[in-house]
Amino acid sequence: MGNHSALVLIELGAVFFGLGILGRLAGRIGLSPIPLYLVGGLFFGQGGFVELGGLEEFSAIASEIGVILLLLLLGLEYTAGELVTGLRQSWMAGILDILLNFLPGVVIALILGWGAVGALVLGGVTYISSSGIIAKVLTDLGRLGNRETPVVLSLLVFEDLAMAVYLPILTAVLAGVSFAGGLQAVGISLVVVTIVLVIALKFGNAVSAVVDSKDREVFLLTLLGAALLVAGVASAMQVSAAVGAFLLGIAISGATATNATRLLEPLRDLFAAVFFVVFGLNTDPSTIPPVLGYALLLAVITSVTKVATGWWAAKQQGVGKLGRARAGAALIARGEFSIVIAGLAVASGAVTDELAALATAYVLLMAILGPVAARLAEPVMGFLTRKTPQTV
Amino acid sequence: MRVEQTPLPGIGVRKDIVTASGRRIGTVTQRDGETELIVSRADDPDACLASIPLTADEASTLGNLLGAHQVVAQLTEEHRDLPGVNTRQFLIDIDSPYDGRKLGDTKMRTRTSVSLVAVLRKGQVQASPTPDFTLAAGDLLVAVGTSEGLDAAAEILRGG
């Protein structure tokens, strides 16, 4: 027993230390650490270079907490007011976004013979942009004051709300419930989302007051306790633990939300890193080469479709061509939530291992391609527009 | 003047105005209170030429500079028909002897015949400050008087 826990500590220490080095490397080259964490997981997992044993129990629960914290902080980022106005302003672009970016995943999954469940999963993977990567890229490139930036951000808001409806459907389908059961899950989640939005709009202060405390320790415990409780109850109701956490995040507002974000950010980073590594660990690297071609194809198609979405949305707001290109390119990055979706699917055992491999390869490509594309949008547009007068 | 307020979900608020020259100027205030001054590009009004992070002090000083210019211009216009009457602005430096002291302590009026007509602080105008108004570093005083009087006033504010 003593030997066992010593081994686990050493392995865990090595994993965290390795992730720290990867994170530093990512920062040095101006990249999101997510793809590197995935690669780190691939490196150590089954079929990887080094096999790790004895970590399963801890890493399983830690990665689940990682997902809950990812969604909780996503909810904390938005106020209910922002969500409602965001929804009102961007619903047309949001629907275009779903159509253009969900379909490629669905089609490829069907071509590969993964059935309706696989199609639902892969559609989600290709649909959802990474709000984490995109917000960071926009800040780094000094584009917060740009006119197209609110367009991009409100599309992200729409996507995150869409997740609150999509995840319960996914959880229900993965659990293998019947069509009627699935409809029921959707119905429950829609009702719950609406109720939470109304509560957050009208009584946000009351909810915040319940979890708020001046004492950091008390605050952290109440907050984390509430998040896990809500997530657990949501999970028991088949609404998906992650969505429960997301809705709790929305209901907490104002200064409480700001403080909560500051307090939970390091915890989220830690547990989310474990989540990405575990996903990588459970993916056999040898399953990736066969699906790499499809991942590349999906990367190309869904880059084009995201650019089209952003272009159209920015055009509706009267933004010029350069800004439209910037908006489109900014949306390309996929990351944490694509892996959350794939992770849920793989954990349920309802999809093939190849799907995990394809999702990993796809997110690796898109998490790197996204920031690069955002930087290149202007020079490329400049090149294209300069060329036009010569040819005409 | 129309200030356009645009929420940036998850990040903060952008407030900007479009100038007569067609440029967009404004601020982006992030959730954590960090403020950036933004200036749009001439060739692409959607994009920003620069977004300059400002500390609270820098932002309020900039506000004072812009606001003072406005007040001074207005006063100069009003005094145009009175030869020998000038308007000037004085900044209370961090090392000014009057940082934290009352305006009355300067005895400005008796010593130089100069009138202090306004104090600008954090972009806000305090018109006709009374002698018990407490000065602070960063305040911009707007004074009216003869040019000799104003020179003397500058000396007093700098050296006491």
Side-chain angles (χ1 to χ4, degrees):
Chain A
M1 211 42 206
N3 266 340
H4 175 71
S5 71
L7 181 67
V8 169
L9 283 180
I10 288 171
E11 284 182 351
L12 201 58
V15 168
F16 282 149
F17 198 81
L19 290 183
I21 290 171
L22 286 177
R24 182 176 299 204
L25 190 70
R28 188 69 55 83
I29 50 180
L31 206 72
S32 158
I34 297 170
L36 290 184
Y37 293 163
L38 285 173
V39 171
L42 283 177
F43 194 77
F44 286 114
Q46 42 170 308
F49 293 91
V50 188
E51 297 245 0
L52 288 181
L55 276 181
E56 293 87 1
E57 217 169 303
F58 171 80
S59 58
I61 190 74
S63 80
E64 207 155 313
I65 294 176
V67 173
I68 289 169
L69 287 177
L70 268 174
L71 269 290
L72 175 68
L73 267 92
L74 187 66
L76 283 172
E77 235 167 64
Y78 303 126
T79 63
E82 281 177 345
L83 288 177
V84 173
T85 36
L87 201 59
R88 211 180 295 145
Q89 282 168 358
S90 66
W91 66 272
M92 282 211 298
I95 287 171
L96 181 75
D97 187 18
I98 293 183
L99 288 178
L100 286 182
N101 295 291
F102 205 89
L103 276 178
V106 169
V107 171
I108 294 284
L110 291 178
I111 288 174
L112 288 171
W114 293 344
V117 177
L120 181 69
V121 173
L122 202 58
V125 170
T126 57
Y127 163 59
I128 187 106
S129 295
S130 164
S131 40
I133 296 179
I134 293 170
K136 189 173 181 309
V137 166
L138 290 177
T139 312
D140 288 352
L141 295 181
R143 293 199 186 152
L144 293 185
N146 283 18
R147 257 199 202 126
E148 79 277 1
T149 295
V151 176
V152 173
L153 294 175
S154 52
L155 262 172
L156 294 180
V157 169
F158 186 94
E159 288 189 2
D160 295 336
L161 271 177
M163 281 276 277
V165 178
Y166 168 82
L167 283 179
I169 302 176
L170 184 71
T171 331
V173 169
L174 290 173
V177 297
S178 62
F179 184 69
L183 275 185
Q184 195 187 338
V186 176
I188 291 178
S189 68
L190 278 177
V191 170
V192 173
V193 169
T194 316
I195 291 174
V196 170
L197 277 181
V198 170
I199 291 178
L201 277 173
K202 300 238 147 113
F203 311 105
N205 291 334
V207 180
S208 305
V210 172
V211 290
D212 202 4
S213 168
K214 283 208 164 25
D215 188 312
R216 277 168 53 96
E217 190 177 334
V218 174
F219 188 35
L220 181 62
L221 289 172
T222 332
L223 197 62
L224 203 57
L228 296 181
L229 272 174
V230 169
V233 170
S235 174
M237 283 167 63
Q238 297 269 2
V239 181
S240 154
V243 170
F246 176 63
L247 294 176
L248 177 70
I250 289 171
I252 299 171
S253 59
T256 314
T258 317
N259 293 335
T261 308
R262 205 168 299 146
L263 207 56
L264 288 177
E265 239 169 7
L267 266 185
R268 177 208 48 195
D269 294 343
L270 180 69
F271 284 104
V274 175
F275 166 70
F276 294 123
V277 170
V278 166
F279 187 82
L281 281 174
N282 291 332
T283 310
D284 188 341
S286 64
T287 55
I288 288 185
V291 292
L292 198 57
Y294 287 102
L296 272 169
L297 180 67
L298 265 184
V300 172
I301 295 173
T302 59
S303 295
V304 173
T305 50
K306 277 286 177 190
V307 171
T309 308
W311 183 283
W312 188 85
K315 192 179 174 190
Q316 298 309 300
Q317 300 295 317
V319 173
K321 282 191 175 150
L322 260 177
R324 292 176 212 165
R326 281 193 300 266
L331 284 167
I332 290 176
R334 314 293 207 281
E336 60 276 30
F337 298 111
S338 299
I339 296 295
V340 167
I341 294 169
L344 280 174
V346 172
S348 77
V351 293
T352 82
D353 285 348
E354 283 178 305
L355 197 149
L358 179 53
T360 309
Y362 176 73
V363 169
L364 284 178
L365 287 169
M366 298 308 264
I368 295 167
L369 184 65
V372 174
R375 273 187 183 78
L376 286 183
E378 277 188 13
V380 168
M381 273 301 282
F383 178 73
L384 290 179
T385 45
R386 222 173 297 132
K387 249 190 130 178
T388 328
Q390 291 171 352
T391 49
V392 173
Chain B
M1 192 77 241
R2 203 171 111 81
V3 178
E4 201 165 324
Q5 278 205 44
T6 315
L8 302 173
I11 291 179
V13 190
R14 185 186 86 208
K15 291 178 188 164
D16 54 10
I17 55 171
V18 178
T19 64
S21 60
R23 299 291 282 271
R24 208 156 47 83
I25 312 175
T27 57
V28 170
T29 309
Q30 298 192 36
R31 284 280 170 72
D32 52 13
E34 210 168 285
T35 302
E36 281 171 19
L37 174 73
I38 56 163
V39 183
S40 73
R41 249 163 37 192
D43 58 338
D44 177 8
D46 298 325
C48 288
L49 180 68
S51 34
I52 306 154
L54 295 177
T55 65
D57 268 359
E58 290 159 357
S60 65
T61 307
L62 185 63
N64 283 352
L65 292 178
L66 294 169
H69 179 73
Q70 188 71 18
V71 173
V72 171
Q74 215 170 325
L75 288 169
T76 311
E77 177 65 22
E78 281 167 18
H79 298 145
R80 211 173 39 171
D81 302 333
L82 302 172
V85 177
N86 295 303
T87 309
R88 212 181 284 173
Q89 34 185 317
F90 302 114
L91 181 70
I92 302 294
D93 260 327
I94 289 178
D95 48 359
S96 164
Y98 293 103
D99 176 13
R101 285 172 64 187
K102 294 209 186 316
L103 186 55
D105 293 350
T106 62
K107 301 208 172 55
M108 190 69 78
R109 193 62 183 269
T110 26
R111 287 160 78 183
T112 65
S113 308
V114 158
S115 303
L116 293 168
V117 293
V119 177
L120 284 102
R121 177 179 291 173
K122 298 188 195 306
Q124 302 283 325
V125 182
Q126 166 80 46
S128 317
T130 53
D132 59 354
F133 183 89
T134 306
L135 295 169
D139 285 354
L140 206 57
L141 311 186
V142 179
V144 175
T146 60
S147 52
E148 299 80 45
L150 290 168
D151 288 344
E155 280 304 309
I156 290 171
L157 288 173
R158 216 173 296 137

